[in-house]
Structure formats: structure tokens, C-alpha cells
């Protein structure tokens, strides 16, 4: 940290060199003092000019002091980098650490050996459970993982539509985004244009911070309005037309490759169409589970995929490092192998297949051949535990949907692309006055239960995409408020899953026929484990396997289920208070009426395949 007091400290100010460090760097580069380490004879990525140079990387303490001809300086500690590319480590520009199911120190043990050493993390999950205390917990680790904050934009996301858990004021958020540990204001609801959001956006802009966004595949006026609020990046766009439009409007494209969807191949499907926009693209994982980080990789995965799609290797590496650092205004600290930068470096044999031989952070080797050389000794404070608070009276009756007659039309949603939801309406059988699920057509019931305040609030909807034939799955990771979400084939199964996850203390459960088939305990705020990442991975894979035994057909079902409720992504959302039409940000009916023999639905379009499952004589929307 600088020795002089800073009135307006910049992002990452705590990483800046001290006067003593800077003076020593200069002496080392001048040949007046010995370096602490030299990476000798490697192929150094000179990303500013797009060259690969055979050079020595001369390190003073935690910084790069100089890039010199091979053998120009000597010291007592030399690493032979012959045959390896010497590159900066990767930066993930948008991540929710909580959705990995790992605490920060365990994410470090998993991702740092893969070359990702800096993350810009939006801790909106834990913020919705534990408020500012949760934010502080998620922003620190003793491991060699650099965390910059993307300060959650609104907690809860929609207070007029949900109870939420914790609450943060506009003033609290505005103050946090101006701190040096903050890189951006976190992603916001593109349908929310209130004064409170404007105040936070102005606070971010005044402090020189970016504003993270998800544009929800919007077009024209809604998109223009969102960007007019200072939103500076987007991780939703993936079709060439949408990507080009956002780049034209100056939005940084942060290509997402999470567990629900990997946008990388589609973004780079037409590289010539992107033109100079390749210099305005970075990578993020966003929502990626521990098992997929282990199997697939972190930002290293996206570098590989981009190169496979035809992106020139140095441009792909620049996206993962220098582009990211430059856009988020930390390129004076990290993002390149150049003098005065922090020595966060990796040695890889193949640029097109980055699997680091060595990873250095602060000039010290912290991982070798995919294995972390450090332990996670971070404390998990007591206040992060025991966050399950369900009302004791909630039982099977709370999950029923009443209707008259032999059938009823309901407003439902189809999970068709990760967390995107397509509204449709369908006719379901009514048995003993209650609307039943239809496992043959995969129309199941979804419930959101308040787990923060022990109220009797339960929101009910119908969802397609999970394929369950029996039983239920449940999780306490509902986006964003982290309430309890359950998808099931019957009210009895949903009620059983509710009490099973309460007994677990939060996490994932798969149940069927009155039995708990598998669990993933997540005792830290109900969204993270306190166990080593290897244990969490194994339990997660077992729980996913259990869902397949009851008919589940999708990858990452618990994560996708967690986004059914999100009210900031079209067409519908669901909170503990009821079904929400996202465009109008208002509650809407679950059981639909008829007018002139036609169904009074809220589907914005009937042009999709899902509408072929309905009676073509009655499925047209009626304005109500």
C-alpha cells in the first residue's frame, strides 16, 4: 500500500507498491541490486504489441522489475523457463463465488492452479442472507487469490416483490462502491429505473468504477435505457447480432462460460463480424459449479474454446488478461508481463491448451502442474452458519393450487437457456379441487419458501425442463434472495424435500418416495460448504446422479432451479410472495381465466415450440 494517505484511493490501491518496493525495483532494473528471482529464457507474451519474445523476466519481491535479454542479469534463484510461454495469470471479470458452492479459500485451491488468480466477484448471494457482514466475509482470503468487489446493486433485488433476507440501503451500497476494494457496481435489474439505482450508478461513475450489467437479451429502447444508466458491460449477449450491437454501443462484452451455458462458441461464431471489438472482450465464469470448474476449467477453458473457434492465440490471451485489467482499470497493477506489475505469472507449454506448469502470485510459486502448493486456513465465522429459518406450520397444504372443474389453465415457464425463462400457458388436470403436475409433458410444480424470517410466505409456479418423473429436488440457493426453492412432482414430495433440507441446514437435496436419496450440505449461509473442494465436488456429482434416477434430464439442475425465481430475467419470475411478470415487475395470476373462449395469458409470444403442446383453438393471448 502507498506510504502516503490517499484521499481518493483507486481500485486495487492495497496492491500498490510501497516506496521501498518501488525503489528496489528501480535498483534491480538498473543492475544495482540482485533480483529475487529470474524466469530464464521463456517465451514472454508481449500483449501490448502482440509479440512473443525470448526474454528473462526479472523479479524484485512481488513485482516484475524488468524484461531483459536472456542472461543479462543473474541471481541466486533462477527458474529455467526454456520451452515455456511466460504469461500473466487470468482474470475472471464477473463471478458469484457462492454459486461455486465453495468459500473463497477453497475456490483458490481449485482455480489458482488453473491460472486464474484474480476475480471480480459479486457477492449478492451472501449479501441477501447476511448483509454487510456477508460481503466482508466474501471479499477476503489468506490464500493467493485476489478478490475485487462487484458491489451488489440492490439487496433485496425487488423489495416490492419479495421479503428477501438482509437489506442494504442506497447509502451503504454507494459508500461501498467507492472503496478501493471495489471494481464495479454489481449487476442490476434491467427493468428497474428508479432513483435509488440512479444514485448508486452516479456514485460508481464519480469514483471511476465500472458498472456490471446483464442486458437480458434486450433490444432497442429497453437496451438503450439500461446502457444510459452507465452500465458498462454485458455477459448475456452471445448471438453475433447482439454482440456486435453491444460493442457498437461501447459495452464491454464479458463472455460467459458457466455451468448453465457456455456462450464462447456462439460469440466467436463469426469473428470477422466483430472487427476491432476483439479488443473489447473479456471472459467470466459467472455461475460455475465446483464440479464444472474441476472438469472443464476456469478462464483457461474459455481461452482454449476461443482459440478452437478461430481466435488468434495472443488475442485470446489478451482477452483473458490485459483486456480485462485495462477495462476495469487495474492494468497498472496486473494483466501483463511488464515492469512494475505484480508478478502474477504462469508458465505454460501450449498457448492453445493452457495448463500451467507453474503459477506465481506475488513473485512466489503457489501451484505446480495443476496442484496448489498452499493450504486454505481461512476461518469460517460462526455468524455465517445456522441461517435456515422455516415456519414450523408449513406443510403439504401450502404447496397446493386450487381450481374448479376438471382442468385448469395455468401460466407456466420453460427453462430454455440456463436462467432464461419462456412464458407459456398450458392446461392441467384438476384432482379433488387441486391442480396436478403433468410428468408426461414435464410440467412440474416449483415453490419458493421464505427461509429467512420463518413466515408462511410460499410462492407457487409451474415449470418445464427438469424431466422429473417422481420425487423432488430442493436448494437454498434461489437467486437472488437465497430462499428455499423446490421443484417436484407432487405436493407431498415438495413438502418432504422442504423438511429434509431444513434438517440439513441448507444445501441441495434429492428425494423420492419418502426417502432422501442424496444431499450436498451447504452450511455457510445456506449456499457454500465448509469442506475441501474435492469433497464438495464428489457430493455434488452424487446428488446430480441421484436426480437422474428420478428422471432429471438437464445438466446442473440445482443451479438452473435456483434461477427460476430471478425477477430480472424474462419472461417470468417467482418469489416467496408469488408469480412475477418481469417486464412490468408486477405480480400476475398463476391460474388463468378465459375470455370469449380464449385463455387470458401473459405470454409475450406464441411463436415457440412450447406452444405446440397447447390446444391451438384456445391458446391466443387476450389483453387483460
Amino acid at each position: 500500500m502507498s506510504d502516503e494517505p490517499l484521499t481518493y484511493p483507486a481500485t486495487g490501491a492495497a496492491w500498490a507498491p510501497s516506496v521501498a518496493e518501488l525503489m528496489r525495483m528501480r535498483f534491480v532494473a538498473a543492475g544495482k541490486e540482485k533480483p529475487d528471482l529470474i524466469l530464464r529464457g521463456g517465451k514472454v507474451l508481449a500483449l501490448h504489441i502482440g509479440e512473443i519474445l525470448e526474454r528473462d523476466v526479472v523479479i524484485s519481491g512481488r513485482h516484475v522489475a524488468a524484461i531483459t535479454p536472456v542472461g543479462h542479469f543473474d541471481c541466486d534463484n533462477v527458474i529455467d523457463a526454456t520451452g515455456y510461454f511466460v504469461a500473466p495469470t487470468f482474470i475472471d471479470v464477473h463471478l458469484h463465488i457462492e454459486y461455486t458452492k465453495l468459500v473463497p479459500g477453497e475456490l483458490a485451491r481449485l482455480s489458482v492452479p488453473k491460472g486464474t488468480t484474480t476475480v471480480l466477484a459479486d457477492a449478492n448471494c451472501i449479501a441477501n442472507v447476511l448483509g454487510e457482514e456477508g460481503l466482508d466475509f466474501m471479499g477476503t482470503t489468506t490464500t493467493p487469490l485476489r478478490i475485487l468487489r462487484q458491489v451488489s446493486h440492490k439487496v433485496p433485488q425487488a423489495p416490492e416483490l419479495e421479503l428477501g433476507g438482509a437489506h442494504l440501503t442506497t447509502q451503504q451500497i454507494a459508500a461501498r462502491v467507492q472503496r478501493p476494494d471495489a471494481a464495479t457496481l454489481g449487476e442490476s435489474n434491467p427493468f428497474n429505473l428508479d432513483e435509488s439505482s440512479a444514485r448508486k450508478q452516479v456514485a460508481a461513475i464519480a469514483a471511476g468504477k465500472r458498472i456490471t450489467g446483464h442486458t437480458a437479451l434486450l433490444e432497442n429502447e429497453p437496451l438503450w435505457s439500461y446502457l444510459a444508466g452507465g452500465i458498462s458491460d454485458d455477459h448475456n449477449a452471445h448471438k453475433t447480432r447482439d454482440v456486435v450491437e453491444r460493442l457498437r454501443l461501447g459495452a464491454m462484452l464479458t463472455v460467459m462460460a458457466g455451468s448453465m451455458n457456455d456462450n464462447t462458441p456462439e460469440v466467436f461464431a463469426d469473428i470477422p463480424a466483430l472487427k476491432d471489438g476483439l479488443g473489447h472482450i473479456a471472459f467470466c465464469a459467472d455461475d460455475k459449479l465446483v464440479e464444472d470448474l474441476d472438469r472443464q476449467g476456469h478462464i483457461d477453458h474459455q481461452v482454449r474454446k476461443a482459440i478452437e473457434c478461430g481466435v488468434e492465440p495472443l488475442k485470446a490471451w489478451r482477452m483473458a488478461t490485459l483486456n480485462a485489467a485495462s477495462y476495469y482499470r487495474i492494468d497498472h497493477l496486473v494483466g501483463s508481463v511488464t515492469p512494475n506489475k505484480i508478478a502474477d505469472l504462469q508458465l505454460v507449454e501450449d498457448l492453445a491448451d493452457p495448463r500451467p506448469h507453474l503459477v506465481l502470485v506475488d513473485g512466489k510459486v503457489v501451484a505446480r502442474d495443476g496442484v496448489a502448493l498452499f493450504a486454505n486456513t481461512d476461518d469460517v465465522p460462526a455468524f455465517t452458519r445456522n441461517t435456515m429459518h422455516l415456519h414450523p406450520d408449513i406443510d403439504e397444504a401450502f404447496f397446493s393450487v386450487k381450481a374448479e372443474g376438471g382442468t385448469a389453465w395455468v401460466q407456466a415457464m420453460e427453462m430454455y437457456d440456463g436462467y432464461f425463462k419462456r412464458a407459456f400457458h398450458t392446461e392441467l388436470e384438476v384432482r379433488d379441487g387441486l391442480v396436478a403436475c403433468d410428468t408426461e409433458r414435464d410440467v412440474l410444480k416449483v415453490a419458493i419458501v421464505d427461509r429467512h424470517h420463518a413466515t408462511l410466505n410460499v410462492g407457487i409456479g409451474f415449470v418445464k425442463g427438469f424431466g422429473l418423473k417422481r420425487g423432488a429436488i430442493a436448494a437454498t440457493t434461489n437467486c437472488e434472495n437465497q430462499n428455499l426453492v423446490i421443484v417436484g412432482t407432487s405436493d407431498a414430495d415438495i413438502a418432504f424435500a422442504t423438511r429434509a433440507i431444513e434438517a440439513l441446514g441448507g444445501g441441495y437435496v434429492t428425494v423420492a418416495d419418502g426417502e432422501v436419496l442424496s444431499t450436498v450440505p451447504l452450511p455457510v449461509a445456506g449456499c457454500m460448504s465448509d469442506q475441501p473442494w474435492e469433497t464438495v465436488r464428489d457430493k455434488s456429482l452424487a446428488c446430480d446422479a441421484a436426480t437422474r434416477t428420478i428422471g432429471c434430464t438437464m445438466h446442473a439442475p440445482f443451479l438452473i432451479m435456483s434461477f427460476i425465481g430471478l425477477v430480472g430475467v424474462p419472461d417470468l419470475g417467482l418469489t416467496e410472495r408469488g408469480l412475477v411478470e418481469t417486464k412490468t415487475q408486477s405480480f400476475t395470476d398463476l391460474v388463468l381465466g378465459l375470455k370469449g373462449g380464449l385463455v387470458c395469458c401473459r405470454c409475450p409470444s406464441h411463436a415457440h415450440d412450447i406452444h405446440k403442446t397447447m390446444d391451438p383453438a384456445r391458446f391466443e393471448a387476450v389483453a387483460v
Side-chain angles (χ1 to χ4, degrees):
M1 179 69 177
S2 170
D3 300 78
E4 301 299 323
L6 298 174
T7 306
Y8 299 105
T11 300
W15 304 347
S18 66
V19 171
E21 286 177 316
L22 190 140
M23 289 184 68
R24 174 158 164 73
M25 269 188 275
R26 294 191 303 187
F27 285 135
V28 168
K32 298 179 181 297
E33 292 188 11
K34 271 193 171 186
D36 294 299
L37 174 65
I38 295 175
L39 305 180
R40 174 142 293 158
K43 294 172 281 190
V44 177
L45 271 58
L47 294 173
H48 292 84
I49 193 170
E51 293 181 337
I52 297 173
L53 308 172
E54 188 174 324
R55 295 287 192 270
D56 284 353
V57 179
V58 179
I59 296 173
S60 169
R62 62 190 183 97
H63 294 90
V64 174
I67 310 297
T68 73
V70 177
H72 188 82
F73 290 139
D74 207 352
C75 74
D76 298 330
N77 189 10
V78 175
I79 293 177
D80 185 4
T82 304
Y84 292 99
F85 294 93
V86 182
T89 50
F90 300 130
I91 301 171
D92 184 334
V93 300
H94 177 60
L95 177 70
H96 302 284
I97 295 176
E98 299 98 314
Y99 281 126
T100 69
K101 294 173 284 191
L102 305 175
V103 289
E106 285 305 308
L107 175 63
R109 288 187 53 243
L110 176 55
S111 289
V112 168
K114 299 179 186 299
T116 298
T117 63
T118 298
V119 297
L120 279 56
D122 187 340
N124 64 349
C125 302
I126 201 167
N128 274 273
V129 182
L130 297 169
E132 289 201 283
E133 276 192 310
L135 289 175
D136 291 338
F137 168 67
M138 290 305 295
T140 57
T141 178
T142 60
T143 61
L145 177 69
R146 301 190 189 281
I147 303 173
L148 286 173
R149 318 293 185 93
Q150 295 186 314
V151 179
S152 302
H153 192 284
K154 195 168 186 178
V155 180
Q157 171 68 252
E160 65 283 359
L161 301 173
E162 60 186 340
L163 300 177
H167 288 250
L168 296 180
T169 67
T170 297
Q171 292 73 22
Q172 285 174 307
I173 293 170
R176 279 184 169 267
V177 80
Q178 297 199 346
R179 288 172 23 172
D181 60 358
T184 80
L185 182 63
E187 57 187 326
S188 62
N189 182 341
F191 303 101
N192 184 349
L193 304 178
D194 64 10
E195 183 179 329
S196 172
S197 65
R199 289 186 178 279
K200 288 171 279 193
Q201 288 161 343
V202 168
I205 294 168
K209 307 302 174 83
R210 300 295 189 183
I211 304 177
T212 295
H214 63 239
T215 63
L217 306 185
L218 298 175
E219 296 178 339
N220 300 329
E221 288 89 349
L223 173 63
W224 305 336
S225 176
Y226 193 43
L227 296 180
I231 307 303
S232 52
D233 63 39
D234 177 33
H235 55 269
N236 284 161
H238 51 90
K239 300 291 186 184
T240 299
R241 180 192 66 176
D242 295 333
V243 169
V244 169
E245 180 64 12
R246 281 147 180 78
L247 291 172
R248 284 171 174 164
L249 294 171
M252 182 74 162
L253 192 78
T254 51
V255 184
M256 175 175 62
S259 288
M260 294 186 290
N261 38 25
D262 184 349
N263 291 341
T264 315
E266 286 189 279
V267 168
F268 298 114
D270 186 356
I271 295 171
L274 305 182
K275 301 177 182 177
D276 291 344
L278 291 178
H280 208 58
I281 294 176
F283 297 128
C284 73
D286 194 8
D287 307 306
K288 197 160 190 176
L289 302 166
V290 55
E291 56 267 33
D292 291 327
L293 286 167
D294 175 52
R295 173 184 62 86
Q296 192 179 60
H298 199 152
I299 300 302
D300 54 310
H301 161 74
Q302 287 172 280
V303 172
R304 284 190 290 274
K305 293 293 288 185
I307 294 171
E308 287 175 12
C309 293
V311 176
E312 296 174 26
L314 282 183
K315 290 183 178 179
W317 276 81
R318 180 170 173 138
M319 292 174 194
T321 56
L322 184 57
N323 280 8
S326 298
Y327 191 72
Y328 294 97
R329 296 170 174 153
I330 54 172
D331 57 312
H332 61 302
L333 301 167
V334 294
S336 64
V337 189
T338 52
N340 191 257
K341 305 304 182 293
I342 297 172
D344 290 358
L345 308 169
Q346 55 182 318
L347 273 61
V348 300
E349 285 189 281
D350 186 352
L351 282 186
D353 188 20
R355 301 181 191 278
H357 166 56
L358 293 180
V359 177
L360 290 81
V361 172
D362 282 332
K364 293 182 171 56
V365 177
V366 296
R368 185 187 303 273
D369 295 326
V371 178
L373 302 180
F374 58 90
N376 170 30
T377 58
D378 294 347
D379 290 331
V380 178
F383 73 82
T384 66
R385 302 178 186 273
N386 301 315
T387 61
M388 284 292 295
H389 307 293
L390 294 182
H391 195 288
D393 292 343
I394 290 178
D395 58 16
E396 184 177 335
F398 280 81
F399 304 109
S400 64
V401 175
K402 297 179 181 179
E404 297 179 355
T407 63
W409 286 90
V410 300
Q411 187 71 72
M413 57 192 118
E414 177 190 26
M415 306 304 291
Y416 71 95
D417 182 19
Y419 50 63
F420 284 97
K421 297 152 290 183
R422 180 176 288 131
F424 73 100
H425 60 282
T426 190
E427 197 170 18
L428 295 176
E429 184 180 352
V430 176
R431 302 171 192 159
D432 300 323
L434 303 179
V435 180
C437 297
D438 187 339
T439 57
E440 291 301 313
R441 291 187 298 153
D442 185 28
V443 181
L444 308 178
K445 188 171 285 185
V446 55
I448 306 290
V449 181
D450 169 36
R451 75 161 174 107
H452 300 298
H453 309 293
T455 70
L456 293 172
N457 286 83
V458 177
I460 303 294
F462 288 93
V463 65
K464 181 178 178 65
F466 290 86
L468 300 183
K469 299 301 182 185
R470 60 192 180 98
I473 60 176
T476 50
T477 54
N478 179 62
C479 183
E480 290 185 2
N481 57 33
Q482 302 300 291
N483 270 319
L484 170 59
V485 55
I486 317 106
V487 169
T489 57
S490 73
D491 297 345
D493 287 311
I494 292 173
F496 182 77
T498 296
R499 292 308 167 189
I501 208 163
E502 180 184 33
L504 186 67
Y508 295 176
V509 297
T510 302
V511 304
D513 305 319
E515 294 184 13
V516 175
L517 304 182
S518 190
T519 67
V520 182
L522 301 177
V524 183
C527 49
M528 290 171 287
S529 174
D530 56 0
Q531 296 300 302
W533 71 259
E534 297 91 342
T535 301
V536 187
R537 174 202 59 197
D538 292 346
K539 286 184 174 292
S540 298
L541 291 172
C543 205
D544 281 354
T547 69
R548 291 193 289 274
T549 68
I550 61 173
C552 188
T553 56
M554 62 167 55
H555 178 70
F558 292 94
L559 188 59
I560 292 176
M561 176 175 64
S562 297
F563 282 81
I564 297 173
L566 182 59
V567 298
V569 173
D571 292 323
L572 300 171
L574 181 66
T575 76
E576 69 275 33
R577 291 183 57 199
L579 189 64
V580 176
E581 184 181 49
T582 59
K583 183 178 180 180
T584 61
Q585 292 291 284
S586 61
F587 291 110
T588 191
D589 292 334
L590 177 60
V591 178
L592 302 173
L594 298 175
K595 187 174 183 181
L598 300 179
V599 182
C600 300
C601 77
R602 291 291 185 182
C603 309
S605 169
H606 295 104
H608 304 288
D609 287 345
I610 183 61
H611 294 95
K612 295 177 182 178
T613 65
M614 299 181 296
D615 179 354
R618 292 196 291 166
F619 75 70
E620 291 297 335
V622 174
V624 293

